[in-house]
Amino acid sequence: MQYEAPESVEAAVRLLSGGGPRGRVLAGGTDLLVQLRAGVITPQLVVDIKRIRESREIREEDGMLVVGAAVTGAELGEHARAKSMWPGVVESAELIGSTQIQGRASLGGNLCNASPAADTVPALVAAAAECRVAGPNGMRRVPVEDVCTGPGQLSLGDGEFIVAFELAAPPPGSADAYLRFIPRTEMDIAVVGAGVNLSLDESGRCTAARVALGAVAPTVILAEEAGAALVGTECDDSAMEAMVAAVRAACRPIDDKRGTAEYRTKVAGVLATRAARIAATRAREAR
């Protein structure tokens, strides 16, 4: 196996699009290295992007928060501005594994592992985050919800990799939240995850909402009708009931050892309601 650690985006693209076997990108390694040791994957090339400056920074650009794909959950959790702007996204990153894992696990790796149960993905989708994707044809932007096409499957082309995530500055009266349910108290995979991002006007009426669900379909779902159910309301009980109905209608879960499809569908509505109430409380406090 060939291991490379380029120091620029251009060098990484050249390695990944060199015409040979398709390489694998190493951002944090908490999934990739486990799969390597277990023999699940046997790549001939591994490209470590942690030496690329753009992949390791958290910075603001014109009010927008830009988070490198190789930034760890621990680093994100210690970043005061990130926690202030997008607390739900930070919450999701801090739920990945143990303290030791959070010192390595990255947003880019969590997304590109393409697990339907990934914790950061519903939060990023709810936040309308976009990926900066570098490739042989230059840089392009892709909504997070369009990256994964199925379990373990990505829409990225040959030679492409995610450099960073863009999170727009939330407007006044906006906030997000993320919650998950797991069988154990710590370090488990989500049975269901729910991210909610909403905006309230001065009268407390919802003007925009995004609801994203994890582990209830082959990919994370942006439940557009669930978000629409909150718009124009004060996020009261009747609005929450309408949102729950839309959430459950959007679910397409499977039965497995962590939960039945029926159970997941029910829990999705409960978590979405709780996350929406937390987001609404934060939005009122932010105004």
Side-chain angles (χ1 to χ4, degrees):
M1 185 183 71
Q2 180 184 356
Y3 168 83
E4 298 286 350
E7 296 184 1
S8 70
V9 171
E10 295 76 16
V13 169
R14 284 195 297 271
L15 286 164
L16 291 167
S17 57
R22 186 168 182 177
R24 301 297 287 260
V25 174
L26 173 64
T30 59
D31 290 309
L32 184 69
L33 295 180
V34 172
Q35 293 167 3
L36 280 169
R37 293 187 66 179
V40 175
I41 58 173
T42 55
Q44 295 185 23
L45 171 66
V46 171
V47 179
D48 187 340
I49 64 170
K50 294 194 295 297
R51 293 185 184 178
I52 300 174
R53 177 179 56 81
E54 295 94 328
S55 77
R56 293 286 300 126
E57 293 181 332
I58 305 175
R59 62 188 185 280
E60 286 188 67
E61 293 181 6
D62 301 322
M64 175 175 60
L65 187 70
V66 180
V67 182
V71 167
T72 69
E75 291 168 329
L76 191 63
E78 293 172 355
H79 197 279
R81 186 60 175 153
K83 290 192 290 185
S84 173
M85 291 177 70
W86 291 104
V89 172
V90 175
E91 286 169 342
S92 69
E94 290 184 317
L95 287 173
I96 299 174
S98 63
T99 300
Q100 293 92 333
I101 292 295
Q102 289 168 16
R104 299 292 296 180
S106 63
L107 290 185
N110 196 233
L111 172 60
C112 291
N113 188 49
S115 167
D119 280 310
T120 63
V121 181
L124 288 166
V125 171
E130 292 193 336
C131 303
R132 290 182 179 178
V133 177
N137 297 318
M139 193 79 71
R140 65 187 180 103
R141 285 166 174 77
V142 181
V144 169
E145 57 266 32
D146 293 339
V147 172
C148 299
T149 58
Q153 300 175 349
L154 303 175
S155 64
L156 303 183
D158 289 341
E160 289 191 323
F161 74 100
I162 296 174
V163 179
F165 295 85
E166 296 180 354
L167 293 132
S174 300
D176 68 328
Y178 174 77
L179 292 173
R180 73 172 183 186
F181 173 75
I182 58 176
R184 298 182 297 179
T185 57
E186 298 291 343
M187 292 186 292
D188 210 337
I189 300 171
V191 174
V192 178
V196 178
N197 173 33
L198 52 78
S199 301
L200 304 179
D201 63 18
E202 294 182 356
S203 68
R205 192 168 294 274
C206 181
T207 58
R210 286 171 66 94
V211 179
L213 308 168
V216 293
T219 62
V220 168
I221 295 174
L222 174 60
E224 294 182 353
E225 293 187 5
L230 296 177
V231 175
T233 76
E234 295 182 357
C235 297
D236 52 17
D237 291 344
S238 61
M240 292 295 176
E241 290 174 3
M243 181 199 67
V244 167
V247 161
R248 291 176 175 162
C251 292
R252 304 189 306 277
I254 61 172
D255 293 320
D256 65 13
K257 64 183 179 181
R258 292 183 293 119
T260 64
E262 180 182 5
Y263 181 68
R264 279 192 164 100
T265 300
K266 182 175 181 61
V267 171
V270 174
L271 286 187
T273 300
R274 293 177 181 176
R277 293 193 187 281
I278 293 170
T281 298
R282 288 173 174 170
R284 295 185 188 99
E285 293 172 349
R287 182 161 283 286

